[in-house]
Amino acid sequence: MNTTERHKQSVRIPAKTGYAVKVNKGSLIRVTDLEGQQVVDFVAYDAQNANNRLDPGVTMDVLRSYRIKPGQSVYSNQYQPLLKILRDTVGVHDFFNSACRPEMYEVLYDKKDHASCYHNLNQALEPFGILPPDQHYPFNLFMKSVVDDLGKIDVVAPDSRAGDYVEMEALTDLVVGLSACPCEESSCNGYHCTAIQLDVESLLD
């Protein structure tokens, strides 16, 4: 009788740093908030075509919502499903905000040369031949943005607690990048940055 064997890789990503990995179609990707209230900027690129990449705006357009649920997919800028949400213990994430970058910290907090998701993702993706874009537009896991009746958007402390996770299935071969957001200047990460964990479970060739 044939059995299916899977290989599991687990990586602890320290606070304020980034990581990237290539995953095969059918791989299970789990991102865990180890201590709670830690935002993860998550990007994904088609491994065969880096111009086909995760796009929050397109995803909202397809879903007709800024909330995503298990069974639904995250889409690319070319309207192709890249990842399917399988399990989600939080249910509140963000598609609105671009990756933080040094210029943001200068404008909002008068701080120069601040660590940023933009640089974390660029450094992590470089070994895969993915050039730095003008800006990253991630699927911001665990980030909580609140929209009021007048359209004002506020970022508040995440609902995630220690051990909460999102699990996704790769619908094609992908390069995925993650940044444990380094912003301690607002409630975005509960004013305290912590580590995250990435687990990838893939079929053995």
Side-chain angles (χ1 to χ4, degrees), residues 10-39:
S10 296
V11 179
R12 184 181 183 275
I13 302 170
K16 305 182 182 182
T17 69
Y19 184 80
V21 65
K22 184 180 182 296
V23 299
N24 297 327
K25 179 180 179 180
S27 295
L28 304 182
I29 303 163
R30 179 179 288 198
V31 182
T32 302
D33 186 351
L34 293 175
E35 297 185 35
Q37 296 192 330
Q38 175 60 50
V39 168

PDB file of all heavy atoms in Angstrom, residues 10-39:
ATOM      1  N   SER A  10      10.489  23.545  10.751  1.00  0.00           N
ATOM      2  CA  SER A  10      10.048  24.536  11.726  1.00  0.00           C
ATOM      3  C   SER A  10      11.158  25.561  11.938  1.00  0.00           C
ATOM      4  O   SER A  10      12.322  25.189  12.147  1.00  0.00           O
ATOM      5  CB  SER A  10       9.695  23.878  13.069  1.00  0.00           C
ATOM      6  OG  SER A  10       8.595  23.003  12.924  1.00  0.00           O
ATOM      7  N   VAL A  11      10.792  26.819  11.871  1.00  0.00           N
ATOM      8  CA  VAL A  11      11.766  27.903  12.032  1.00  0.00           C
ATOM      9  C   VAL A  11      11.207  28.931  13.005  1.00  0.00           C
ATOM     10  O   VAL A  11      10.069  29.402  12.838  1.00  0.00           O
ATOM     11  CB  VAL A  11      12.071  28.587  10.682  1.00  0.00           C
ATOM     12  CG1 VAL A  11      13.061  29.728  10.875  1.00  0.00           C
ATOM     13  CG2 VAL A  11      12.597  27.591   9.665  1.00  0.00           C
ATOM     14  N   ARG A  12      11.985  29.263  14.016  1.00  0.00           N
ATOM     15  CA  ARG A  12      11.628  30.351  14.919  1.00  0.00           C
ATOM     16  C   ARG A  12      12.248  31.628  14.376  1.00  0.00           C
ATOM     17  O   ARG A  12      13.460  31.704  14.198  1.00  0.00           O
ATOM     18  CB  ARG A  12      12.129  30.068  16.330  1.00  0.00           C
ATOM     19  CG  ARG A  12      11.722  31.119  17.363  1.00  0.00           C
ATOM     20  CD  ARG A  12      12.306  30.760  18.735  1.00  0.00           C
ATOM     21  NE  ARG A  12      11.899  31.691  19.769  1.00  0.00           N
ATOM     22  CZ  ARG A  12      12.500  32.843  20.033  1.00  0.00           C
ATOM     23  NH1 ARG A  12      13.556  33.215  19.318  1.00  0.00           N
ATOM     24  NH2 ARG A  12      12.062  33.622  21.004  1.00  0.00           N
ATOM     25  N   ILE A  13      11.412  32.610  14.092  1.00  0.00           N
ATOM     26  CA  ILE A  13      11.872  33.870  13.518  1.00  0.00           C
ATOM     27  C   ILE A  13      11.938  34.905  14.637  1.00  0.00           C
ATOM     28  O   ILE A  13      10.902  35.264  15.210  1.00  0.00           O
ATOM     29  CB  ILE A  13      10.920  34.326  12.398  1.00  0.00           C
ATOM     30  CG1 ILE A  13      10.828  33.233  11.320  1.00  0.00           C
ATOM     31  CG2 ILE A  13      11.395  35.643  11.793  1.00  0.00           C
ATOM     32  CD1 ILE A  13       9.745  33.481  10.291  1.00  0.00           C
ATOM     33  N   PRO A  14      13.131  35.363  14.999  1.00  0.00           N
ATOM     34  CA  PRO A  14      13.248  36.293  16.127  1.00  0.00           C
ATOM     35  C   PRO A  14      12.486  37.596  15.889  1.00  0.00           C
ATOM     36  O   PRO A  14      12.212  37.986  14.750  1.00  0.00           O
ATOM     37  CB  PRO A  14      14.760  36.548  16.203  1.00  0.00           C
ATOM     38  CG  PRO A  14      15.390  35.378  15.545  1.00  0.00           C
ATOM     39  CD  PRO A  14      14.449  35.002  14.438  1.00  0.00           C
ATOM     40  N   ALA A  15      12.158  38.267  16.984  1.00  0.00           N
ATOM     41  CA  ALA A  15      11.482  39.560  16.919  1.00  0.00           C
ATOM     42  C   ALA A  15      12.258  40.521  16.025  1.00  0.00           C
ATOM     43  O   ALA A  15      13.492  40.526  16.014  1.00  0.00           O
ATOM     44  CB  ALA A  15      11.348  40.151  18.322  1.00  0.00           C
ATOM     45  N   LYS A  16      11.530  41.295  15.224  1.00  0.00           N
ATOM     46  CA  LYS A  16      12.078  42.379  14.396  1.00  0.00           C
ATOM     47  C   LYS A  16      12.912  41.895  13.222  1.00  0.00           C
ATOM     48  O   LYS A  16      13.661  42.668  12.633  1.00  0.00           O
ATOM     49  CB  LYS A  16      12.902  43.353  15.247  1.00  0.00           C
ATOM     50  CG  LYS A  16      12.150  43.943  16.434  1.00  0.00           C
ATOM     51  CD  LYS A  16      13.029  44.922  17.196  1.00  0.00           C
ATOM     52  CE  LYS A  16      12.300  45.481  18.413  1.00  0.00           C
ATOM     53  NZ  LYS A  16      13.129  46.477  19.133  1.00  0.00           N
ATOM     54  N   THR A  17      12.811  40.612  12.851  1.00  0.00           N
ATOM     55  CA  THR A  17      13.593  40.075  11.746  1.00  0.00           C
ATOM     56  C   THR A  17      12.679  39.441  10.705  1.00  0.00           C
ATOM     57  O   THR A  17      11.474  39.294  10.911  1.00  0.00           O
ATOM     58  CB  THR A  17      14.618  39.030  12.222  1.00  0.00           C
ATOM     59  OG1 THR A  17      13.934  37.856  12.658  1.00  0.00           O
ATOM     60  CG2 THR A  17      15.472  39.573  13.364  1.00  0.00           C
ATOM     61  N   GLY A  18      13.277  39.048   9.576  1.00  0.00           N
ATOM     62  CA  GLY A  18      12.524  38.444   8.496  1.00  0.00           C
ATOM     63  C   GLY A  18      13.077  37.087   8.099  1.00  0.00           C
ATOM     64  O   GLY A  18      14.168  36.684   8.504  1.00  0.00           O
ATOM     65  N   TYR A  19      12.301  36.392   7.260  1.00  0.00           N
ATOM     66  CA  TYR A  19      12.692  35.055   6.799  1.00  0.00           C
ATOM     67  C   TYR A  19      11.924  34.758   5.521  1.00  0.00           C
ATOM     68  O   TYR A  19      10.793  35.234   5.343  1.00  0.00           O
ATOM     69  CB  TYR A  19      12.354  34.005   7.869  1.00  0.00           C
ATOM     70  CG  TYR A  19      12.795  32.604   7.529  1.00  0.00           C
ATOM     71  CD1 TYR A  19      14.111  32.214   7.709  1.00  0.00           C
ATOM     72  CD2 TYR A  19      11.881  31.685   7.027  1.00  0.00           C
ATOM     73  CE1 TYR A  19      14.521  30.919   7.396  1.00  0.00           C
ATOM     74  CE2 TYR A  19      12.282  30.396   6.715  1.00  0.00           C
ATOM     75  CZ  TYR A  19      13.599  30.021   6.902  1.00  0.00           C
ATOM     76  OH  TYR A  19      14.004  28.739   6.594  1.00  0.00           O
ATOM     77  N   ALA A  20      12.525  33.969   4.637  1.00  0.00           N
ATOM     78  CA  ALA A  20      11.839  33.557   3.415  1.00  0.00           C
ATOM     79  C   ALA A  20      12.198  32.113   3.102  1.00  0.00           C
ATOM     80  O   ALA A  20      13.262  31.616   3.487  1.00  0.00           O
ATOM     81  CB  ALA A  20      12.199  34.467   2.247  1.00  0.00           C
ATOM     82  N   VAL A  21      11.296  31.442   2.388  1.00  0.00           N
ATOM     83  CA  VAL A  21      11.506  30.039   2.042  1.00  0.00           C
ATOM     84  C   VAL A  21      10.709  29.716   0.780  1.00  0.00           C
ATOM     85  O   VAL A  21       9.663  30.318   0.527  1.00  0.00           O
ATOM     86  CB  VAL A  21      11.083  29.123   3.214  1.00  0.00           C
ATOM     87  CG1 VAL A  21       9.582  29.223   3.480  1.00  0.00           C
ATOM     88  CG2 VAL A  21      11.488  27.678   2.971  1.00  0.00           C
ATOM     89  N   LYS A  22      11.205  28.776  -0.002  1.00  0.00           N
ATOM     90  CA  LYS A  22      10.457  28.275  -1.153  1.00  0.00           C
ATOM     91  C   LYS A  22       9.608  27.101  -0.693  1.00  0.00           C
ATOM     92  O   LYS A  22      10.093  26.212   0.021  1.00  0.00           O
ATOM     93  CB  LYS A  22      11.398  27.844  -2.274  1.00  0.00           C
ATOM     94  CG  LYS A  22      10.671  27.403  -3.542  1.00  0.00           C
ATOM     95  CD  LYS A  22      11.670  26.991  -4.625  1.00  0.00           C
ATOM     96  CE  LYS A  22      10.948  26.593  -5.910  1.00  0.00           C
ATOM     97  NZ  LYS A  22      10.088  25.405  -5.746  1.00  0.00           N
ATOM     98  N   VAL A  23       8.347  27.090  -1.091  1.00  0.00           N
ATOM     99  CA  VAL A  23       7.439  25.999  -0.728  1.00  0.00           C
ATOM    100  C   VAL A  23       6.814  25.443  -2.006  1.00  0.00           C
ATOM    101  O   VAL A  23       6.541  26.178  -2.956  1.00  0.00           O
ATOM    102  CB  VAL A  23       6.343  26.468   0.256  1.00  0.00           C
ATOM    103  CG1 VAL A  23       6.968  26.966   1.553  1.00  0.00           C
ATOM    104  CG2 VAL A  23       5.460  27.534  -0.351  1.00  0.00           C
ATOM    105  N   ASN A  24       6.586  24.147  -2.004  1.00  0.00           N
ATOM    106  CA  ASN A  24       5.995  23.495  -3.156  1.00  0.00           C
ATOM    107  C   ASN A  24       4.476  23.513  -3.086  1.00  0.00           C
ATOM    108  O   ASN A  24       3.875  23.631  -2.005  1.00  0.00           O
ATOM    109  CB  ASN A  24       6.475  22.045  -3.242  1.00  0.00           C
ATOM    110  CG  ASN A  24       7.970  21.939  -3.456  1.00  0.00           C
ATOM    111  OD1 ASN A  24       8.567  22.789  -4.116  1.00  0.00           O
ATOM    112  ND2 ASN A  24       8.573  20.905  -2.893  1.00  0.00           N
ATOM    113  N   LYS A  25       3.848  23.378  -4.238  1.00  0.00           N
ATOM    114  CA  LYS A  25       2.397  23.268  -4.303  1.00  0.00           C
ATOM    115  C   LYS A  25       1.929  22.145  -3.387  1.00  0.00           C
ATOM    116  O   LYS A  25       2.523  21.065  -3.356  1.00  0.00           O
ATOM    117  CB  LYS A  25       1.962  22.981  -5.751  1.00  0.00           C
ATOM    118  CG  LYS A  25       0.457  22.831  -5.923  1.00  0.00           C
ATOM    119  CD  LYS A  25       0.115  22.557  -7.378  1.00  0.00           C
ATOM    120  CE  LYS A  25      -1.391  22.372  -7.571  1.00  0.00           C
ATOM    121  NZ  LYS A  25      -1.743  22.116  -8.980  1.00  0.00           N
ATOM    122  N   GLY A  26       0.886  22.411  -2.617  1.00  0.00           N
ATOM    123  CA  GLY A  26       0.361  21.427  -1.685  1.00  0.00           C
ATOM    124  C   GLY A  26       0.948  21.501  -0.295  1.00  0.00           C
ATOM    125  O   GLY A  26       0.455  20.840   0.631  1.00  0.00           O
ATOM    126  N   SER A  27       1.999  22.316  -0.125  1.00  0.00           N
ATOM    127  CA  SER A  27       2.605  22.460   1.206  1.00  0.00           C
ATOM    128  C   SER A  27       1.639  23.149   2.165  1.00  0.00           C
ATOM    129  O   SER A  27       0.857  24.013   1.771  1.00  0.00           O
ATOM    130  CB  SER A  27       3.894  23.275   1.124  1.00  0.00           C
ATOM    131  OG  SER A  27       4.887  22.601   0.383  1.00  0.00           O
ATOM    132  N   LEU A  28       1.725  22.759   3.423  1.00  0.00           N
ATOM    133  CA  LEU A  28       0.960  23.411   4.477  1.00  0.00           C
ATOM    134  C   LEU A  28       1.866  24.396   5.190  1.00  0.00           C
ATOM    135  O   LEU A  28       2.977  24.042   5.607  1.00  0.00           O
ATOM    136  CB  LEU A  28       0.418  22.379   5.470  1.00  0.00           C
ATOM    137  CG  LEU A  28      -0.431  21.259   4.874  1.00  0.00           C
ATOM    138  CD1 LEU A  28      -0.941  20.345   5.982  1.00  0.00           C
ATOM    139  CD2 LEU A  28      -1.592  21.815   4.062  1.00  0.00           C
ATOM    140  N   ILE A  29       1.407  25.627   5.315  1.00  0.00           N
ATOM    141  CA  ILE A  29       2.194  26.710   5.912  1.00  0.00           C
ATOM    142  C   ILE A  29       1.458  27.193   7.151  1.00  0.00           C
ATOM    143  O   ILE A  29       0.315  27.661   7.056  1.00  0.00           O
ATOM    144  CB  ILE A  29       2.360  27.871   4.918  1.00  0.00           C
ATOM    145  CG1 ILE A  29       3.019  27.389   3.617  1.00  0.00           C
ATOM    146  CG2 ILE A  29       3.154  29.014   5.543  1.00  0.00           C
ATOM    147  CD1 ILE A  29       2.855  28.355   2.469  1.00  0.00           C
ATOM    148  N   ARG A  30       2.095  27.063   8.297  1.00  0.00           N
ATOM    149  CA  ARG A  30       1.476  27.539   9.543  1.00  0.00           C
ATOM    150  C   ARG A  30       2.344  28.643  10.140  1.00  0.00           C
ATOM    151  O   ARG A  30       3.552  28.451  10.330  1.00  0.00           O
ATOM    152  CB  ARG A  30       1.293  26.415  10.557  1.00  0.00           C
ATOM    153  CG  ARG A  30       0.672  26.894  11.870  1.00  0.00           C
ATOM    154  CD  ARG A  30       0.480  25.775  12.871  1.00  0.00           C
ATOM    155  NE  ARG A  30      -0.606  24.877  12.467  1.00  0.00           N
ATOM    156  CZ  ARG A  30      -1.208  24.035  13.304  1.00  0.00           C
ATOM    157  NH1 ARG A  30      -0.841  23.977  14.580  1.00  0.00           N
ATOM    158  NH2 ARG A  30      -2.175  23.250  12.860  1.00  0.00           N
ATOM    159  N   VAL A  31       1.728  29.780  10.435  1.00  0.00           N
ATOM    160  CA  VAL A  31       2.415  30.895  11.084  1.00  0.00           C
ATOM    161  C   VAL A  31       1.809  31.056  12.463  1.00  0.00           C
ATOM    162  O   VAL A  31       0.592  31.271  12.599  1.00  0.00           O
ATOM    163  CB  VAL A  31       2.269  32.191  10.270  1.00  0.00           C
ATOM    164  CG1 VAL A  31       3.034  33.330  10.957  1.00  0.00           C
ATOM    165  CG2 VAL A  31       2.763  32.002   8.840  1.00  0.00           C
ATOM    166  N   THR A  32       2.651  30.962  13.487  1.00  0.00           N
ATOM    167  CA  THR A  32       2.186  30.983  14.870  1.00  0.00           C
ATOM    168  C   THR A  32       2.717  32.205  15.606  1.00  0.00           C
ATOM    169  O   THR A  32       3.905  32.532  15.527  1.00  0.00           O
ATOM    170  CB  THR A  32       2.642  29.714  15.626  1.00  0.00           C
ATOM    171  OG1 THR A  32       2.146  28.562  14.933  1.00  0.00           O
ATOM    172  CG2 THR A  32       2.132  29.706  17.057  1.00  0.00           C
ATOM    173  N   ASP A  33       1.827  32.873  16.311  1.00  0.00           N
ATOM    174  CA  ASP A  33       2.192  33.985  17.191  1.00  0.00           C
ATOM    175  C   ASP A  33       2.570  33.373  18.531  1.00  0.00           C
ATOM    176  O   ASP A  33       1.703  32.939  19.294  1.00  0.00           O
ATOM    177  CB  ASP A  33       0.999  34.936  17.323  1.00  0.00           C
ATOM    178  CG  ASP A  33       1.325  36.192  18.101  1.00  0.00           C
ATOM    179  OD1 ASP A  33       2.423  36.264  18.683  1.00  0.00           O
ATOM    180  OD2 ASP A  33       0.477  37.107  18.144  1.00  0.00           O
ATOM    181  N   LEU A  34       3.862  33.323  18.839  1.00  0.00           N
ATOM    182  CA  LEU A  34       4.337  32.565  19.995  1.00  0.00           C
ATOM    183  C   LEU A  34       3.942  33.174  21.328  1.00  0.00           C
ATOM    184  O   LEU A  34       3.644  32.451  22.286  1.00  0.00           O
ATOM    185  CB  LEU A  34       5.860  32.422  19.927  1.00  0.00           C
ATOM    186  CG  LEU A  34       6.389  31.558  18.766  1.00  0.00           C
ATOM    187  CD1 LEU A  34       7.912  31.588  18.741  1.00  0.00           C
ATOM    188  CD2 LEU A  34       5.880  30.125  18.885  1.00  0.00           C
ATOM    189  N   GLU A  35       3.945  34.509  21.416  1.00  0.00           N
ATOM    190  CA  GLU A  35       3.649  35.148  22.706  1.00  0.00           C
ATOM    191  C   GLU A  35       2.375  35.974  22.690  1.00  0.00           C
ATOM    192  O   GLU A  35       1.906  36.398  23.745  1.00  0.00           O
ATOM    193  CB  GLU A  35       4.836  36.020  23.129  1.00  0.00           C
ATOM    194  CG  GLU A  35       6.118  35.228  23.353  1.00  0.00           C
ATOM    195  CD  GLU A  35       7.251  36.095  23.893  1.00  0.00           C
ATOM    196  OE1 GLU A  35       6.971  37.019  24.681  1.00  0.00           O
ATOM    197  OE2 GLU A  35       8.410  35.840  23.514  1.00  0.00           O
ATOM    198  N   GLY A  36       1.836  36.226  21.514  1.00  0.00           N
ATOM    199  CA  GLY A  36       0.594  36.999  21.410  1.00  0.00           C
ATOM    200  C   GLY A  36       0.826  38.438  20.987  1.00  0.00           C
ATOM    201  O   GLY A  36       1.856  39.040  21.293  1.00  0.00           O
ATOM    202  N   GLN A  37      -0.136  38.975  20.216  1.00  0.00           N
ATOM    203  CA  GLN A  37      -0.149  40.375  19.781  1.00  0.00           C
ATOM    204  C   GLN A  37       1.071  40.761  18.941  1.00  0.00           C
ATOM    205  O   GLN A  37       1.574  41.869  19.034  1.00  0.00           O
ATOM    206  CB  GLN A  37      -0.289  41.317  20.975  1.00  0.00           C
ATOM    207  CG  GLN A  37      -1.611  41.161  21.716  1.00  0.00           C
ATOM    208  CD  GLN A  37      -1.861  42.272  22.707  1.00  0.00           C
ATOM    209  OE1 GLN A  37      -0.934  42.852  23.281  1.00  0.00           O
ATOM    210  NE2 GLN A  37      -3.134  42.599  22.900  1.00  0.00           N
ATOM    211  N   GLN A  38       1.520  39.820  18.100  1.00  0.00           N
ATOM    212  CA  GLN A  38       2.643  40.113  17.215  1.00  0.00           C
ATOM    213  C   GLN A  38       2.196  40.024  15.760  1.00  0.00           C
ATOM    214  O   GLN A  38       1.761  38.984  15.288  1.00  0.00           O
ATOM    215  CB  GLN A  38       3.800  39.143  17.437  1.00  0.00           C
ATOM    216  CG  GLN A  38       4.964  39.315  16.465  1.00  0.00           C
ATOM    217  CD  GLN A  38       5.592  40.704  16.523  1.00  0.00           C
ATOM    218  OE1 GLN A  38       5.921  41.199  17.592  1.00  0.00           O
ATOM    219  NE2 GLN A  38       5.776  41.317  15.353  1.00  0.00           N
ATOM    220  N   VAL A  39       2.311  41.131  15.047  1.00  0.00           N
ATOM    221  CA  VAL A  39       1.939  41.189  13.638  1.00  0.00           C
ATOM    222  C   VAL A  39       3.024  40.548  12.771  1.00  0.00           C
ATOM    223  O   VAL A  39       4.224  40.686  13.047  1.00  0.00           O
ATOM    224  CB  VAL A  39       1.705  42.654  13.203  1.00  0.00           C
ATOM    225  CG1 VAL A  39       1.606  42.785  11.687  1.00  0.00           C
ATOM    226  CG2 VAL A  39       0.456  43.199  13.880  1.00  0.00           C
TER     227      VAL A  39
END
